[in-house]
Amino acid sequence: MHRDMVEWRGQNPPPGTIMIISDQVNGDFSWDLARLQQRTRYGLFLAYSMKQCNDYLLVYFANCRWEQLLEEEEGGAPPVVVAGGELSSAAMFYCKSCNFNCQSLKKFKNHLSSYKHGMEDAITPPVTKFLFATKSWARSYPASPEHATAKIHVLWDMNDCPIPEGYDARQVRPSIERAFKERGYSGPVSITAYADQKETPVHHLLALSSSGVDFAHTLPWVHYSRMITDFEIWTRDNPAPASVMIISDEVASSKSRSKIICLKLQKFNYNCFLAYSVRPSETPLLVTSAEWLWESLLAVSEIRRHILHKCSESERVVASTGMFCCKLCFCDCKSLDAFNKHLSCKLHTKEEHRMLSHTQSFRRSLRQFKISKYHDRVGCPPKTKRMRKAPRKGFLPRPLRFTRG
Ligand SMILES: [Zn+2]
Ligand SMILES: [Zn+2]
């Protein structure tokens, strides 16, 4: 069924609509379908009898119960197919094993009980294993006309992909832009770098901001969520066609963690790029038009730059200062001085402490919750002589209980 759908897609370019009536749109099937959908969007309707497809990467118009669907038709149009001998001649019968098709039920039944069909089934039994249509997809495509001059937004996780030691930070933007141009993308590029910016060396901050890179100050535990929020805000003003580049190991390798951002990209139908410091062991969830290893992306430019310098000394980055934003207090600063001042001000320090203690208390409650669940399962800890003497030092005899359900 899946293979037929892939074939049909090849013969019928969008716009078009596909309806799948099956309980098996899940797991590998829906993953493959979602990836196919990322590249080429068809309207998608799903119908199921028992098991609803809950894969939220898939963008569909309707996901409804099969029986309900049939009921809705009742009393409306006259029945199309009459069961029994007389059949509408429009329907085709296919035997997928022998590549045989016919329009008559009688012929089809004869075929299925024929020696030839039995032989074919015995020699090449029907494939039961799921065949991925997208697993071997190459990852580098030239720009399509609608994306060639469209905006490109870059979300850069500086924790995962830091600036290599001894590397001139001013070259980050030109390197990224050059890599885009090589593939035919020449639209305006905006870059936001996410990290605990107190840890970023000042010369990097200055160099990057002089090339128009924006900074977002985050802390590790809100790092990813702030990135997603920012991206969502960006989408409001920048509908597709546009490209989004994500520089992050987390999005490249962790399927569960990257699901949220991949879903958003899927929904908005953006063209995607990915860069990572380590090549992921599995195919990333995101369907990309190009992928790079972070260091090779930067090094590419270094070689080119060397050549370019020989040709023209005038090659300079146009200075447009990037913005500095504290994503904890949601405070925007136009200069590095103002940003540094903010990061050391009382209000900001208070916010950081509040966040830190919140996270710590969350971890503590989670631990307590797990302990109490364990006690629910195996009973309270055995009371030993030592524990009776000093109950406060050992286990909590009756741990804090959380209401469940
Ligand atoms: Zn056959
Ligand atoms: Zn702040």
Side-chain angles (χ1 to χ4, degrees):
M1 197 159 108
H2 180 254
R3 248 190 311 166
D4 276 10
M5 185 205 64
V6 175
E7 201 183 308
W8 182 87
R9 287 173 61 105
Q11 292 157 358
N12 301 277
T17 302
I18 296 171
M19 182 178 195
I20 301 176
I21 306 168
S22 166
D23 277 351
Q24 291 179 44
V25 184
N26 50 43
D28 291 342
F29 190 170
S30 70
W31 182 76
D32 212 47
L33 201 58
R35 280 171 65 83
L36 279 166
Q37 199 181 40
Q38 274 173 326
R39 178 148 346 143
T40 327
R41 182 70 59 88
Y42 289 88
L44 183 63
F45 288 86
L46 300 172
Y48 61 95
S49 68
M50 308 276 285
K51 222 166 119 197
Q52 186 170 10
C53 167
N54 288 322
D55 190 328
Y56 59 101
L57 260 191
L58 221 50
V59 178
Y60 43 76
F61 295 148
N63 193 2
C64 44
R65 263 188 81 86
W66 175 234
E67 281 162 25
Q68 197 184 342
L69 197 82
L70 296 180
E71 272 163 25
E72 275 168 19
E73 267 307 303
E74 251 173 41
V80 185
V81 182
V82 184
E86 296 305 308
L87 268 149
S88 120
S89 58
M92 282 293 274
F93 299 92
Y94 295 96
C95 170
K96 288 288 164 191
S97 305
C98 318
N99 231 340
F100 168 84
N101 53 48
C102 61
Q103 262 179 299
S104 121
L105 175 63
K106 215 176 156 193
K107 241 178 158 181
F108 188 59
K109 277 192 156 172
N110 278 343
H111 167 78
L112 290 186
S113 52
S114 72
Y115 171 79
K116 198 177 155 249
H117 172 82
M119 179 76 117
E120 196 62 44
D121 254 8
I123 298 166
T124 45
V127 182
T128 49
K129 217 180 134 220
F130 184 80
L131 296 169
F132 288 92
T134 65
K135 204 149 200 179
S136 62
W137 277 7
R139 298 206 187 121
S140 201
Y141 308 97
S144 58
E146 78 261 33
H147 290 122
T149 53
K151 281 184 188 171
I152 306 171
H153 189 45
V154 180
L155 302 161
W156 173 19
D157 184 333
M158 284 181 95
N159 288 350
D160 282 353
C161 300
I163 295 170
E165 229 175 87
Y167 188 83
D168 183 358
R170 277 175 306 180
Q171 290 183 38
V172 172
R173 174 185 273 276
S175 306
I176 292 172
E177 287 179 345
R178 216 156 279 147
F180 288 151
K181 276 192 186 132
E182 272 169 15
R183 281 167 178 77
Y185 296 90
S186 56
V189 179
S190 54
I191 304 172
T192 308
Y194 294 82
D196 179 350
Q197 302 299 359
K198 280 199 221 160
E199 306 290 323
T200 312
V202 177
H203 67 279
H204 280 171
L205 289 170
L206 282 169
L208 287 168
S209 97
S210 77
S211 62
V213 172
D214 294 331
F215 289 95
H217 171 72
T218 59
L219 291 174
W221 48 90
V222 291
H223 191 82
Y224 190 61
S225 64
R226 292 294 191 269
M227 213 172 187
I228 293 173
T229 315
D230 271 14
F231 164 71
E232 276 183 313
I233 294 165
W234 182 84
T235 60
R236 281 180 214 153
D237 302 322
N238 302 282
S243 299
V244 174
M245 180 188 205
I246 298 178
I247 304 172
S248 158
D249 285 351
E250 181 140 354
V251 173
S253 52
S254 162
K255 271 194 185 158
S256 57
R257 294 275 286 172
S258 68
K259 240 185 176 176
I260 300 166
I261 201 149
C262 292
L263 167 77
K264 309 262 179 205
L265 287 161
Q266 173 95 331
K267 242 188 188 161
F268 293 110
N269 216 9
Y270 289 118
N271 181 51
C272 305
F273 304 119
L274 200 55
Y276 31 73
S277 65
V278 186
R279 210 174 277 287
S281 55
E282 265 184 272
T283 324
L285 217 48
L286 203 63
V287 171
T288 53
S289 298
E291 291 183 18
W292 293 272
L293 264 174
W294 177 235
E295 296 217 350
S296 67
L297 177 77
L298 298 179
V300 163
S301 126
E302 209 155 37
I303 302 157
R304 290 288 162 87
R305 197 182 164 81
H306 194 67
I307 302 161
L308 273 168
H309 256 268
K310 278 183 185 164
C311 308
S312 68
E313 273 297 312
S314 62
E315 231 244 341
R316 284 269 145 75
V317 182
V318 182
S320 70
T321 309
M323 285 289 287
F324 298 87
C325 180
C326 171
K327 293 287 167 195
L328 306 182
C329 320
F330 297 101
C331 159
D332 289 345
C333 307
K334 277 186 183 153
S335 74
L336 181 58
D337 280 348
F339 186 54
N340 278 335
K341 215 179 243 173
H342 170 79
L343 291 187
S344 54
C345 82
K346 254 190 192 164
L347 221 71
H348 174 84
T349 315
K350 209 173 147 192
E351 182 60 26
E352 264 196 19
H353 280 304
R354 193 190 65 81
M355 231 169 221
L356 186 71
S357 66
H358 179 79
T359 315
Q360 280 168 346
S361 84
F362 174 75
R363 277 188 197 137
R364 264 201 305 275
S365 333
L366 193 69
R367 188 185 143 79
Q368 278 301 334
F369 176 67
K370 282 179 183 165
I371 291 173
S372 91
K373 260 183 99 173
Y374 175 70
H375 285 165
D376 280 352
R377 202 155 43 86
V378 301
C380 279
K383 277 178 187 153
T384 60
K385 272 183 188 171
R386 249 176 76 205
M387 275 190 67
R388 251 175 258 144
K389 268 180 194 166
R392 270 169 211 192
K393 273 186 183 169
F395 284 100
L396 288 167
R398 195 68 201 160
L400 195 63
R401 272 177 188 265
F402 288 80
T403 47
R404 282 177 295 148

